[in-house]
Amino acid sequence: MSSAAVQEVWPGSPEPLGATFTAGPESAAGVAGTNFALWAGGAEAVELCLFDDDDDGGGPHASETRHPLTELTHGIWHGFLPGVLPGRHYGYRVHGRWDPWTGARWNPAKLLLDPYARAVDGEFRLPPEVYGHVRDWPQQHIADTVRDERDSAPFVPKGVVVADDDDWSDDRRPRTPWPDTVVYELHVRGFTMRHPGVPERLRGTYAGLAHPAAVEHLLRLGVTAVELLPVHQFAHEDHLLRRGLRNYWGYNSVGYFAPHASYAAHGTRGQQVGEFKQMVRALHAAGIEVILDVVYNHTAESSELGPTLSLRGIDNRRYYRLQADPRRYADYTGCGNTLHVVQPQALRMITDSLRYWVTEMGVDGFRFDLAAALARTTDGVDMLAPFLSAVAQDPVLRRVKLIAEPWDVGPGGYRAGAFPPLWAEWNDRYRDAVRDFWRGALPDVRDLGYRLSGSSDLFGWGGRRPCASVNLVTTHDGFTLRDLVSYDRKHNEANGEGNRDGSDDNRSWNCGAEGDTDDEAVLTLRRRQARNLLTTLLLSTGVPMLVAGDEMGRTQGGNNNAYCQDNETGWVDWSPSEDTGHGSLTDLCARLLALRRAHPALRSRAFFTGRPRGADGVRDLAWFTPGGTEMTEADWYASATTLGMYLSGRGLPDDRQGTPSTHDSLLAVLHAGPRPIRFTLPGPPWAESYALLVNTALEDQSAAPRVRRPAGGRVVVRGRSVQVWRAQTPAS
């Protein structure tokens, strides 16, 4: 590799961080070039490394030129290089002490990815040369202390200079209110890899998700937001590569400003940036928001035995949490390291990244993986932590949707319900209660009542509202909906970890047979249970989250941890409805979401009070026994498999002025018992008659006969089914 600096380096500017293509500084207007700025506060020297424009991402035969950055401003090394144009590959070599016993791990033999790189080109491979220490040192207990002097440049991807002058003037954000939001979690690659309507060359890409065939499905369902599994540039773990597998989900970030390159159909020399933006535009045009699942809690550099790819070689002590023994990393994530978000530069990198994705890439919100790790200070998890305070006062970030996965794996890390106003949270208490109810494992219905009505016991404080609860029955992590009713145990053998990975607490029920079966009675029950779970989710107060493919009966063959299954196991199958009888599930999902849109009672903006809204004593929320009487305190504590929930449509503010209006009231009857029961429909003043809207005992809702029953009448509710009735009153 050549170390001769061919191009002149001008002083440039410390702001903004990253590689910024420009027409030149004011003193030399009209001169095209790129400003490079890297924060490396503890470093002794920094070299900018440029690679040939005609190479394949800075591969093993690329020509490298090194340019010392001599300007240092507040810990930022910077310089402007005339003539460096978009598409150019680059990286950094950072010089400093090698002293792992104090946490110092500088090693200029390792080419480092710019943390602010807007695009990344090339695949991460993990040969020994990519490690800052001698990975194969004979004495493994001290291997991380021996510096490896081999050059890593031929084996790592490079940053790409990107021109970005998009002003988004042609884009219109949907800005869907939280109470009206329905989240659909999907994987950019897996969603379209088997989609017959998406051209083969676009499958698995941002352009594939933007294709009309993919968007049409989202519109047919009626979802309002897609939540994309990680799209920040990520790397594959060594243990997966050794087994011939790959990190499919992407929870192993290495570039927080760069859209993952392998999801681009039109090139990786910066084209991925434009393609991502066009995807966002297409979804916005359809009225669909884009939420990113982001992983700011750890990086792909793993523990002290992991590779040196970026932050570790820039300033290990200021980017990562270290133990009392600074050789070791504090691991609150289960992934080997934890970002030190209390440190100003780590905090700045995260908030800069978030603002970039909102302002420059057009996204509408974020779901934070292991969010409790971001709220950790030196004293543990603190809801006044610097990160949460920074977001709360940020004029950009406080206006987008923020969703916390409210836990990490460290001590005191489970903080469901504790995040401050402004935040929504994944509600695992909802998931567990609904699963347990439908498999017959709840001792009573107290917990279910809280979950159906917005989880006020968790979120009813500090001005928070029901939309703080993101209700979910399934997620990418765990069984699919179909597998939830088909397996009692996980079957993760294909992951190569002896079926030890993945949760053992699935709260699932196979309905009488494990996995595939020809027993039609079992299959019929499974389909009904899937309808029950889906219906319960979409009737509940809060923000529902669906998982891509669940509405089509997607299976992973019992694998509840398909993080490394970049194949048919992990991809959405667009054909199963034809041969498994799940075709009507998609129609039911669309029907339920239409019902949700049409009835404000299902989208309450405030927690229910249980108080009357009129002189007749009809409350905003009421609970009924099978006998048609309101539940008493004793009823809540008694063993029960049936619950009637009445949601009043009276006095709901539904316009910009908040004027109270009268809408339909609804009665949902959830019956998890195996045998039919007779349920008495509540009489006046709750209703004069009832019209049946949904009955999960039926395979096909569209073919269901119109049923009306008088108030006070008795109806048969089949075993393990849900009925939804519209309450008919004189006003309706």
Side-chain angles (χ1 to χ4, degrees), residues 188 204-211 231 259-261 263-265 272 275-276 279:
V188 168
T205 68
Y206 304 119
L209 180 53
H211 191 273
V231 296
H260 191 62
Y263 297 162
Q272 60 265 53
E275 186 175 326
F276 183 94
M279 175 197 73

Side-chain angles (χ1 to χ4, degrees), residues 599-602 604-605 608 613 620 648-655 658-664:
H599 296 280
L602 296 173
S604 180
R605 300 180 185 179
F608 299 103
R613 282 184 172 159
D620 59 355
S648 174
R650 294 186 184 183
L652 297 176
D654 67 337
D655 57 29
T659 304
S661 301
T662 297
H663 298 272
D664 290 335

Side-chain angles (χ1 to χ4, degrees), residues 679-708:
F679 190 96
T680 300
L681 300 172
W686 304 100
E688 294 187 348
S689 64
Y690 292 85
L692 185 62
L693 302 178
V694 175
N695 182 1
T696 64
L698 304 175
E699 293 268 0
D700 185 357
Q701 302 298 309
S702 64
R706 293 187 177 184
V707 177
R708 293 183 183 273

